[in-house]
Amino acid sequence: MRVLLYENGRSQGVKRIRERLESRFPHGFEPLDSIEGLVYRLRHDRNYHWIAVVAVSDLEDLSALLSIREWLLDLRIILILPEIDRELTMSGHRLYPRYIAYGDGDLEDVAAVLEKMLRLNELEDPSLGH
Amino acid sequence: MGEVLIVDDNVGVCRILHSVVEEMGHHADYVRTLGQAMKTLASGSYDVVLLDVHMPDGNGLDLLPRIRETKDSPEVIIITGKADPNGAELAIKSGAWDYLQKPLSLNTVVLPLKRVLQYRKASQNGPNPTVALKLDGIIGRSKQMQTCFDALARSAAGESPVLITGETGTGKELFARACHHNSPRSDQSFITVDCAAMPETLVESMLFGHKKGAFTGANRSQPGLIEQAHGGTLFLDEVGELPDSMQKAFLRVLQENRFRPVGGQKELRSDFRLISATNRNLDRMVDQGRFRKDLIYRLRGQTIELSPLRCRPDDIKDLVLFYSAKLCERHGVETKGISPDFLEAVLAYPWPGNVRELIHSVESALAEVAYAPTLIVNQLPVHIRVHLARASVEQSVAPNADSRTPERPGSADPLPTYKALRESVLHRAEKEYLREVMVTSQGAIQEACRISDLGRTRLYSLLKKHGISRVGWDSPAFSV
């Protein structure tokens, strides 16, 4: 498993994100719906080639993620914010995401970035193939 | 007043340079061999060495690293009658301040000399720049890292663009963040642009933003990363992957600090500090026509070159100790000790994935060790142990090459003699056995003697023979 999807069930467009990932990445991804679950996952089994798609529901959710930032720093994060909002975006950059998308927009971009990241991962470490 | 040492076998050149330096208001001495130069540097105090390359007793470039390591770490300006690009590259990479070609004009000597002496004065008067740096996980006491920290301190204090180079896993992104966090813009945003992960179709809109209706799917306006970086730092990671069309567009942004969102009518202004990083050789990419020369100049205001971990083994122990303690804390477990064999193994491995690979190997070992108090070599990832085992066999068989029988036809490896083979196998087996005994007995000598049925003196002598420590097998051998 090389792609984690964090979303707490309240994220905007979460159904679309899930559907899109499921259809584009038949090899799957691992959904996590709580901060505790995410930390547990990272505590017990982690790999620095992992990519995390993090769909934030609101500023509170983002603040909770920032409080566990230490755990996330060496993951490649694609951050999906609920809407275009300056405060949210600026706070989101503190997670050092490799890409920021918005849940109220076209999520085709997320799939395209994720596909490219997965290709790069395979080039870096072919043993991690699907 | 600066102190300058001139090293040139031509007495005429020495005298001219001497008078130039003295006229600039500084003091100069000259010597005519490399041997005299080292003696003079050991006894005197110098800011700058003007060094000829072709000397009667050797090549000045070979001496350059040793000169930089003398007590005052003088800056070195190379002066040569036979300049060549490779020599110039070697000189600068070895730490030379400048590389000048004879015949010298007054200006070619005076200007770099003036600059280097100003720099020396400023660095001697100013506070040590590395003292107050927030390094946040960047570990290293090696000379290479100290050079990087100095470069980081200078870069952080300034506003010019910074280019960070180094192999994958050397910590380019950490340095970029540290540069931002130590800069006057630290309270503003640090915006990462992952040039390698951006699909070409998205790059423009991602960097410059777009207006509603600019293209199919643009159902609302969206600010780009350049706009978001206003007031802060824009970090172009893997800048060598920036598509050609974007290189041109981005160059314009750097020249004018202005850009136009896709589909926008008006130009917007963004005041950001640029940091870029790459593991590519951008000069080679320029030669191959894959990267714009004018963009390189814009990116390379200051450079920080990060050494691969294999070139700075002095930092490995510190890295292991730091990250072992940090990861134990993160996982909420007691800090583990590091056994001598673990340390020996991590020092012997070449770390192709650099610091990142080392950190994840320590993390992987911590996951294996569970509740035991000490990390031992068997907890390292298998691929590392395989590499070390192979290297150990190759090394132990190689010294006996002289006593080998002639090569076997069709075989790449010559067959060792029976005696050489027996000795090498026994040596390895003995060493492995002793390690196991020390691990099992947790370093308690009485217990080790009981298990092995060896006398204390014999056990000590065998441990000494194999370079195995008697301590550190029970609890943290190296306090963290």
Side-chain angles (χ1 to χ4, degrees), chain A residues 2 49 121-130:
Chain A
R2 294 170 46 202
H49 288 275
N121 254 5
E122 271 165 36
L123 288 175
E124 277 180 27
D125 187 350
S127 68
L128 293 170
H130 294 299

Side-chain angles (χ1 to χ4, degrees), chain B residues 299-417:
Chain B
L299 302 179
R300 213 184 246 163
Q302 309 207 39
T303 55
I304 301 176
E305 281 181 47
L306 302 180
S307 300
L309 189 54
R310 63 183 172 278
C311 297
R312 49 184 186 97
D314 296 352
D315 292 332
I316 291 177
K317 181 178 161 188
D318 286 347
L319 281 161
V320 169
L321 294 176
F322 176 83
Y323 278 101
S324 164
K326 185 178 171 175
L327 293 166
C328 284
E329 190 188 336
R330 187 196 275 180
H331 287 267
V333 296
E334 248 181 63
T335 303
K336 307 288 181 190
I338 314 291
S339 72
D341 66 335
F342 187 94
L343 202 58
E344 197 182 302
V346 293
L347 285 168
Y349 184 66
W351 299 111
N354 292 297
V355 181
R356 189 186 293 155
E357 186 186 8
L358 175 69
I359 295 168
H360 288 278
S361 299
V362 170
E363 186 157 25
S364 158
L366 285 169
E368 288 285 318
V369 72
Y371 298 105
T374 308
L375 291 178
I376 59 170
V377 70
N378 298 48
Q379 288 144 358
L380 279 169
V382 173
H383 73 276
I384 293 179
R385 284 185 284 136
V386 166
H387 176 96
L388 293 172
R390 291 182 67 93
S392 160
V393 172
E394 282 158 16
Q395 209 173 16
S396 61
V397 174
N400 298 314
D402 291 345
S403 57
R404 284 172 185 167
T405 53
E407 289 184 17
R408 285 170 290 159
S411 168
D413 299 320
L415 195 64
T417 62

